[in-house]
Amino acid sequence: MIRVGIVGASGYTSSELIRLIIQHPDDIRITVITSESYTGEHVSRVMPNLRGLLDLEFESLDIASLKERVDFVFLAVPHKVAMSFAPRILEQGLRVIDFSADYRLVDAEIYEAWYKTEHTSPEWLSEAVYGLPELHRDEIRNARLVANPGCYPTGAILASAPLIAHRLVHLAGIVVDAKSGISGAGSKPSLATHFPNREGNVTAYNVAQHRHTPEIEQELSRVAGTPIQLNFTPHLMPMTRGILSTVYFALVENITTEALLEIYSEYYADEPFVRVLEQGQYPQTHAVYGSNYCDVGLEVDMRTRRVVVMSAIDNLVKGASGAALQNLNIIAGLQETAGLDAPGIMP
Ligand SMILES: NC(=O)c1ccc[n+]([C@@H]2O[C@H](COP(=O)([O-])OP(=O)(O)OC[C@H]3O[C@@H](n4cnc5c(N)ncnc54)[C@H](OP(=O)(O)O)[C@@H]3O)[C@@H](O)[C@H]2O)c1
């Protein structure tokens, strides 16, 4: 039996994590769920879909008591809050899968510049493993601290890695244009996420300054073996879930769509959750809704000698909780796909 605790369990990513874990075929038990806002309330008060399926109450976080009650802790709290808890949990010998950005960037100075806050436990940065199995599976296996990737970076990195690894594109001038559903902003309402402001409306935001930029750059630089800087423009869409990323690259030499699709299929041949679409098929968020799949498609524009690569993920699954469960499966030595290989929900 594997016992897991979820900190910040009243939020959107936790809701999805709980839904996935209670359907997991192995004996994974959720033994602790914490919430400061709903302490003492039954889980179904916040997540009515769990009524009759999980008999647990939210409790206030008590780090000292975790050691006796859990083996793994998922931190599904905002950045800054995560690093205020993680070191004390790790010091008890527990393994941590952190959903926040606090341990994703290896360089504390870059973190501090983009997140405009001091990193309070930089000593854990070298130990943390960036939790994208498609790039770091072997390191994840033995990780004590997994930095679960951001949602936009997951889509952008999976769309880009094969081209960069095979040195088929120029590394300058890469453009990532991404569209996200509103659940990406979490469950706390704001003016920007308020229904009347979002319904029927599309806007770019944090242009040239979104905090996921250095994360995408870090991971693609690792693939390239040389530093990469790129333009990343996120957009909010009038939908609840999903991210469609469209990434533009200048090709080093002429190559056909067909040949590139073959390269992608080979690169992801052993990846259970990356589906390379056939020629003429493009990813759509509906096809991955509620699932851990990342669909990837592409098209070469011979006129401009560019390739346009598209990826679709569900931000709450492959972009957060599905990836976290995939990481738990890897660390715990379970089948990597266990509890995650269901198709998405089409309308
Ligand atoms: N949403 C996404 O698509 C997505 C994707 C990838 C990664 N992430 C990351 O995953 C984490 C959770 O995101 P989310 O979308 O689930 O957010 P959310 O819906 O806003 O939930 C955040 C949770 O954190 C708790 N929390 C907030 N401030 C806290 C504090 N000061 N101390 C203790 N707990 C606090 C809240 O619980 P109580 O107030 O009930 O205690 C809530 O349960 C974030 O770091 C986010 O950046 C999100």
Side-chain angles (χ1 to χ4, degrees), residues 8 10-13 35-37 76-78 81 99-100 183-184 186-187 315-316 319:
S10 66
Y12 282 163
T13 56
S35 162
E36 305 311 314
S37 311
V77 290
V81 181
F99 283 52
S100 87
S183 62
S187 55
N315 55 295
L316 292 177

Side-chain angles (χ1 to χ4, degrees), residues 283-299:
Q284 51 176 308
T285 53
H286 267 174
V288 293
Y289 195 101
S291 92
N292 199 48
Y293 292 98
C294 173
D295 284 355
V296 180
L298 60 86
E299 197 73 59

Side-chain angles (χ1 to χ4, degrees), residues 241-262:
R241 289 179 184 221
I243 294 179
L244 184 77
S245 304
T246 308
V247 192
Y248 298 80
F249 302 89
L251 286 163
V252 170
E253 56 188 47
N254 283 344
I255 183 164
T256 63
T257 300
E258 198 180 6
L260 281 184
L261 283 171
E262 248 182 70

